[in-house]
Amino acid sequence: MSPGKRPAQAVTKSPKVERQRTSRAGTPIAPVVSVVGLIAVAVVSVWVMSVFGAASAAGPGPTQRPGESGPIITAPPRVTPNPTIVITPPPEQRPTITGTILFSRTGNIWAASGLDLTSVATAGTDSSPAWSPDGSTIYAIQTTDKPNQDPPFDAAKYFLRVTNIVSMNADGSNRKQVFKGQFSQNGGTWFTGVYQPDVSPDGNRFALVSDLGYVPVNGCESCYQPIVLSTMSTDGTKLTNLKVRYDNDLGHNDPDWSPDGKEIAFTYNSRGGTDGAPRIGILTVSTGSLNLLRKGYANPSWSRDGTMIAAERTTSSGRDIVVLDPRSGSELARLTNDGDSFRPEFSPNGDQIAFLHRKGLGVDLQIMTISQSGGGITLLETKPVTDDGSLDATSSPAWFIPADQITSPPAGPAASAAP
């Protein structure tokens, strides 16, 4: 993510499972659910895959900014991030955070509250933090590497990158495994890919995306299974395919429960020609009815009153933060115009949006404050929470505010057609 650019909407078949044979020990072959690991599957966002190819915890590498052409520029080496310290702007330049925002940095979970940053989980394996509705529990995806596995149909070894779900108290204590992804079948070791859990308002279910434990039939090494919208009980049982249709085997990602628990908004990955053309889907859980909004938007986050969705607007220059009407898909506001802003998370109070922002090779957390008046939305200010450049681009922030600090959100603005 340094100067230099590549097309922002190159299509990748990210949300699916691919299996490839190799004769070299220790490299991926057929029973690999995610041979490219968490970044290639858990991001499952076409733009982030192309634009943020080098922005992972593994460190920098050749990259291009969205919309640029020409040679790829190799960035200078970055200092290895300190696992116990996050660099921040001076206090007077940072926002004071009501409640607590969780974010992932180099596989560790951090919490931002007030003006303080606190390390919550230091396993180096965690991403996609999610709150229980009462704020007592944090859930996260734990990704562990399993090298030198014995395949059922080849003499070479293979490598698994296994995803589990863990829970912990809000302070990181009492860590437990909720869902174990690895299993044995047909003489081989496999795992069920689970990604991006979001907890339902009643606290009983995750909305997530999964390959549902797909195993190739009769040793088919070119088979795959798209990563699709699913639910699971928060005790780690009852993984269920919601059977939502998908386009071009690209699957789904970024699920987010509506405040009333009746709908799930998510990214429906699609394409136009060779370009990515994601759109937001709204699934009515009880009936299976699907409403697909207009193309060019991704990564939805509901407002607490259900009248708005913060999302990414996708263009050839990158992604920006917008607010949409969840029924019509019309834009209510465009809040950034830099092509480097993504993964929005609405404050439970409705007056702020947390999001990730890219600068060069770095990714940091920022917060914008908005006002709603006169039927419109106005951006008041944007302030950085971190200046560290080491946040995980594949992992959305999660925001919790205790009930006694919740304010009544203003009425949502009327929709207007996007220009």
Side-chain angles (χ1 to χ4, degrees), residues 59-396:
T63 185
Q64 292 177 313
R65 288 171 56 91
E68 284 186 354
S69 58
I72 294 176
I73 304 227
T74 301
R78 290 170 54 202
V79 176
T80 301
N82 188 315
T84 61
I85 298 174
V86 174
I87 300 171
T88 64
E92 63 273 13
Q93 297 178 17
R94 307 202 310 264
T96 299
I97 297 170
T98 302
T100 304
I101 300 175
L102 301 174
F103 61 91
S104 175
R105 173 183 180 265
T106 62
N108 301 317
I109 305 301
W110 287 75
S113 183
L115 290 173
D116 297 328
L117 296 183
T118 304
S119 177
V120 175
T122 59
T125 60
D126 299 343
S127 64
S128 300
W131 287 104
S132 65
D134 63 1
S136 65
T137 303
I138 297 170
Y139 299 95
I141 295 295
Q142 176 195 54
T143 303
T144 58
D145 293 343
K146 302 288 185 178
N148 299 319
Q149 300 295 307
D150 290 318
F153 47 78
D154 197 298
K157 299 288 186 177
Y158 67 89
F159 173 91
L160 287 181
R161 181 151 286 171
V162 179
T163 54
N164 306 310
I165 298 177
V166 296
S167 68
M168 64 195 82
N169 294 340
D171 62 0
S173 64
N174 195 30
R175 183 182 177 101
K176 299 178 182 179
Q177 186 176 82
V178 173
F179 175 80
K180 180 180 179 180
Q182 184 172 322
F183 64 94
S184 297
Q185 183 173 322
N186 299 338
T189 300
W190 315 84
F191 79 93
T192 301
V194 288
Y195 311 96
Q196 301 177 323
D198 184 62
V199 185
S200 60
D202 62 10
N204 293 330
R205 286 190 290 176
F206 298 119
L208 45 75
V209 292
S210 176
D211 71 344
L212 299 140
Y214 175 78
V215 174
V217 178
N218 297 324
C220 175
E221 298 174 38
S222 61
C223 299
Y224 59 85
Q225 163 65 45
I227 304 296
V228 295
L229 187 63
S230 307
T231 57
M232 178 193 291
S233 297
T234 49
D235 64 2
T237 63
K238 300 179 181 178
L239 177 61
T240 303
N241 185 349
L242 295 180
K243 299 187 183 301
V244 178
R245 70 180 187 269
Y246 49 82
D247 188 13
N248 295 304
D249 294 331
L250 293 174
H252 317 123
N253 51 281
D254 311 318
D256 191 60
W257 285 99
S258 64
D260 60 10
K262 296 180 179 180
E263 297 172 304
I264 300 172
F266 65 99
T267 300
Y268 179 97
N269 291 302
S270 186
R271 67 184 183 186
T274 59
D275 292 333
R279 58 201 305 184
I280 290 172
I282 309 290
L283 176 73
T284 302
V285 177
S286 62
T287 66
S289 174
L290 176 65
N291 179 26
L292 290 177
L293 305 184
R294 65 183 65 184
K295 290 184 177 181
Y297 300 93
N299 213 330
S301 173
W302 291 91
S303 63
R304 186 169 65 90
D305 61 3
T307 64
M308 299 177 290
I309 283 178
E312 300 166 3
R313 176 175 179 262
T314 72
T315 69
S316 60
S317 298
R319 296 204 175 188
D320 282 290
I321 307 301
V322 299
V323 177
L324 303 177
D325 183 307
R327 304 307 157 198
S328 66
S330 298
E331 284 189 13
L332 305 176
R334 292 184 184 176
L335 300 175
T336 68
N337 193 35
D338 52 31
D340 292 320
S341 300
F342 61 107
R343 295 202 172 275
E345 171 76 1
F346 241 121
S347 163
N349 275 337
D351 59 348
Q352 292 180 312
I353 297 172
F355 65 101
L356 299 185
H357 182 264
R358 186 189 70 154
K359 182 179 180 181
L361 281 173
V363 174
D364 280 294
L365 179 66
Q366 297 190 357
I367 293 179
M368 58 177 66
T369 300
I370 59 176
S371 69
Q372 301 175 44
S373 61
I377 297 174
T378 302
L379 175 62
L380 300 180
E381 65 177 10
T382 299
K383 289 186 175 182
V385 177
T386 69
D387 194 21
D388 191 70
S390 298
L391 273 62
D392 296 337
T394 67
S395 188
S396 295

